[in-house]
Amino acid sequence: MNEYLKKVLNNTKNKNMYETEYLQAVEEVLTSIEPVVASHPEFERIALLERLIEPERIITFRVPYVRDNGKTEVHRGYRVQYNSLIGPYKGGLRFHPSVNQSIIKFLGFEQIFKNALTGLPIGGGKGGSDFDPKGKSDGEIMRFCQSFMTELQRHIGADIDVPAGDIGVGEREIGYLFGQYKRIRDVYEGGVLTGKGLSYGGSLVRKEATGFGLIYFMKEMLENNNQTLKGKTVTISGAGNVAIYACQKALEYGANVVAMSDSKGCVYDENGIDLELIKQIKEVERGRISEYLRKHPQAKYIECKGEDSPIWEIKTDIALPCATQNEVTLNSAKKLVANGVIAVGEGANMPCMKEATEYFINNKVLLAPAKAANAGGVAISAVEMSQNSMRYYLSFEEVDKKLGEIMTNIFNTCKNAAEEYNLGNNYSAAANIAAFKKLSNAMISQGIV
Ligand code: NDP
Ligand code: 2IT
């Protein structure tokens, strides 16, 4: 490895010794941008990498709220305002008990590159809390969101930092967060949050955007390699926002989705997944995916045990990890390859462990990297922001067309970088390089800040 890269990586490791997810994300990027860094020795003098890696600001705060039973719980809130080079900090909020500073920093770091790839004016940020929304009443969710926003509101704004959803944060939570922001700041500022409900400033297609975008990217990648989605078997982990709309678009293109999952287990339905039932269970009832069997008793439910998710043992042409980070282990990658997988599309952020990514690439599996393939969500968030600025709404068809164009552009950006740097089908490295080149140009133009 290039000496400067080695030095930066070692320093980052020493400074953030316990932040494993964060170090994983940084190492993955630093390793893949070597050809660019090696040809720009001047980067070292201006500490370009050190400045890109160090978040502009990390905010943590206390979030107390009262449970229905009268007891008070205290959680930790985070917002990492990572990088504002090319636009206001932009990225989701995650509510999940596993949330810690390492996870928010890894997500924020990835977001800078992803947002750069969209071609839209958005910087990178991420936030959230170790609060677990599961099993909480609407009242508890509302009080938690209000308490969270009471602190967060002083740090955000339509031209400063624009949060949105992620795991555990969907339209319901964004509604409560928006209401509290408006109440405290006494202003209607539509562009301060995205993923809003359609009745108060949300954009059509934002809900579907990440999942649809993933499939648009996958379609481009397959077609470029003389394949199509039609007739392909697909397995999708997760049954949340990304997974559901990836499933919907894959079905529209004639694929056969046979399995989906949640954090407790997966359902395998040879006859094809009944997506309307999944939506009913997950979006309406907020229940467990095992409920699927109440209507389709012939389907199989396989419980999650240990580190390897059972969904990756199912034979498939295309695997779409859409749940969470590091959900595809090397073992799982080996099973998928042994079963003949031809393509993997990362709907989640960093879903494949480092060794799994390498295994796919070495075995000629087409891998659609998260920073590129799941960028449709944040891209349509940016389109929501611009509609809010214009005080105007675009139609479903207009936004969907825009999404399709953005995903095609992102794919072409990756493909061109892969060609320029002789990376074959390693679109992961190509995405990192393309985003890094844009960011480093902006950094040089803006001086030492
Ligand atoms: P949701 O909360 O809507 O759904 C998450 C799904 O993944 C659920 O089915 C959940 O299971 C499962 N899951 C979550 N955490 C774990 C875990 N630790 N182990 C196993 N399963 C888990 O989130 P989203 O669909 O919005 O997000 C999914 C992924 O996509 C995340 O990585 C997110 O960062 C990424 N992403 C999201 C975007 C968006 O616009 N929402 C945009 C780009 C990326 P259960 O129901 O049991 O909790
Ligand atoms: O990871 C992501 O890109 C998101 N959770 C969406 C962020 C956004 O601002 O829409």
Side-chain angles (χ1 to χ4, degrees):
M1 196 190 227
N2 167 283
E3 285 304 316
Y4 174 43
L5 276 171
K6 220 187 290 175
K7 184 180 85 182
V8 172
L9 185 57
N10 282 339
N11 285 343
T12 311
K13 283 182 177 165
N14 290 337
K15 270 195 188 169
N16 305 275
M17 226 174 275
Y18 303 108
E19 299 190 341
T20 50
E21 296 84 1
Y22 170 62
L23 290 175
Q24 182 185 345
V26 170
E27 186 164 7
E28 194 254 339
V29 168
L30 289 187
T31 328
S32 58
I33 59 175
E34 176 150 25
V36 186
V37 174
S39 61
H40 287 280
E42 72 279 14
F43 284 178
E44 183 166 4
R45 193 174 48 84
I46 58 170
L48 187 134
L49 292 174
E50 291 89 329
R51 287 188 289 126
L52 189 60
I53 284 171
E54 189 66 23
E56 289 177 19
R57 197 172 294 110
I58 300 180
I59 301 151
T60 69
F61 49 94
R62 180 177 68 202
V63 191
Y65 82 108
V66 182
R67 297 287 309 262
D68 288 346
N69 64 10
K71 282 198 176 149
T72 299
E73 261 185 24
V74 182
H75 291 280
R76 185 172 294 172
Y78 298 89
R79 187 72 184 164
V80 176
Q81 297 183 330
Y82 218 120
N83 191 298
S84 58
L85 263 179
I86 58 177
Y89 309 108
K90 180 83 196 89
L93 296 172
R94 177 177 292 191
F95 291 169
H96 193 273
S98 63
V99 162
N100 56 32
Q101 185 164 300
S102 169
I103 289 182
I104 299 300
K105 277 171 69 184
F106 117 65
L107 290 163
F109 184 70
E110 300 263 301
Q111 200 83 45
I112 311 170
F113 294 80
K114 182 194 307 193
N115 294 4
L117 287 173
T118 64
L120 298 166
I122 40 179
K126 201 82 188 190
S129 174
D130 55 3
F131 167 71
D132 187 358
K134 269 204 203 80
K136 303 293 189 300
S137 69
D138 271 356
E140 290 175 323
I141 299 285
M142 180 183 76
R143 290 193 294 280
F144 181 82
C145 288
Q146 290 178 339
S147 181
F148 187 89
M149 184 52 90
T150 300
E151 180 59 32
L152 186 68
Q153 56 84 21
R154 70 189 77 239
H155 305 292
I156 62 175
D159 292 315
I160 301 169
D161 182 358
V162 182
D166 193 82
I167 292 177
V169 177
E171 190 181 316
R172 173 182 61 169
E173 291 72 22
I174 294 292
Y176 294 144
L177 291 164
F178 187 73
Q180 185 73 349
Y181 182 86
K182 195 165 60 57
R183 182 186 193 193
I184 296 176
R185 301 287 286 255
D186 202 15
V187 61
Y188 179 90
E189 189 183 334
V192 70
L193 289 168
T194 60
K196 298 181 293 295
L198 296 177
S199 57
Y200 61 92
S203 173
L204 287 160
V205 196
R206 174 61 190 89
K207 184 175 69 174
E208 295 84 356
T210 313
F212 279 18
L214 172 65
I215 301 300
Y216 293 153
F217 188 98
M218 178 60 73
K219 183 172 177 283
E220 288 292 329
M221 184 175 77
L222 289 173
E223 284 173 5
N224 228 269
N225 290 275
N226 305 315
Q227 301 268 7
T228 62
L229 271 158
K230 200 169 165 50
K232 295 287 187 306
T233 302
V234 176
T235 53
I236 307 178
S237 67
N241 175 265
V242 180
I244 285 176
Y245 294 95
C247 180
Q248 184 166 316
K249 190 51 79 179
L251 294 175
E252 271 177 41
Y253 283 137
N256 182 24
V257 181
V258 294
M260 291 182 81
S261 67
D262 65 13
S263 55
K264 295 279 184 286
C266 78
V267 286
Y268 172 51
D269 190 343
E270 269 182 329
N271 300 336
I273 285 286
D274 175 350
L275 183 60
E276 287 317 304
L277 180 58
I278 296 277
K279 283 186 181 175
Q280 171 66 26
I281 295 168
K282 285 294 180 183
E283 293 186 330
V284 181
E285 298 167 20
R286 298 179 188 275
R288 310 307 316 163
I289 205 164
S290 51
E291 280 291 311
Y292 188 88
L293 271 61
R294 75 183 182 219
K295 194 170 161 205
H296 299 287
Q298 89 292 344
K300 285 201 191 80
Y301 176 70
I302 316 160
E303 217 178 300
C304 279
K305 290 186 195 122
E307 203 194 13
D308 301 335
S309 169
I311 195 164
W312 309 128
E313 297 185 20
I314 298 165
K315 184 173 168 52
T316 190
D317 300 315
I318 296 171
L320 303 177
C322 296
T324 193
Q325 66 275 356
N326 290 328
E327 56 169 314
V328 183
T329 61
L330 176 60
N331 261 338
S332 300
K334 286 182 174 168
K335 288 204 173 114
L336 283 163
V337 170
N339 279 328
V341 75
I342 57 167
V344 174
E346 297 187 324
N349 286 307
M350 204 167 74
C352 297
M353 286 183 168
K354 180 171 172 269
E355 301 74 18
T357 303
E358 288 164 3
Y359 194 78
F360 288 134
I361 291 169
N362 292 339
N363 284 278
K364 307 270 178 280
V365 174
L366 295 171
L367 180 64
K371 292 185 198 82
N374 75 28
V378 76
I380 299 307
S381 277
V383 173
E384 180 173 334
M385 289 161 71
S386 56
Q387 291 172 80
N388 295 145
S389 300
M390 289 190 292
R391 298 183 193 278
Y392 181 75
Y393 289 115
L394 300 173
S395 69
F396 191 96
E397 290 68 28
E398 285 169 307
V399 183
D400 193 30
K401 182 164 173 277
K402 188 95 204 123
L403 175 63
E405 289 164 1
I406 292 169
M407 298 316 296
T408 303
N409 282 339
I410 296 177
F411 175 75
N412 288 332
T413 302
C414 295
K415 188 183 152 207
N416 294 340
E419 277 166 14
E420 186 180 344
Y421 290 88
N422 278 324
L423 297 166
N425 280 340
N426 187 346
Y427 299 120
S428 302
N432 289 339
I433 286 179
F436 176 67
K437 283 175 84 171
K438 177 169 176 181
L439 292 161
S440 54
N441 280 337
M443 284 181 82
I444 290 163
S445 307
Q446 292 181 31
I448 309 293
V449 287

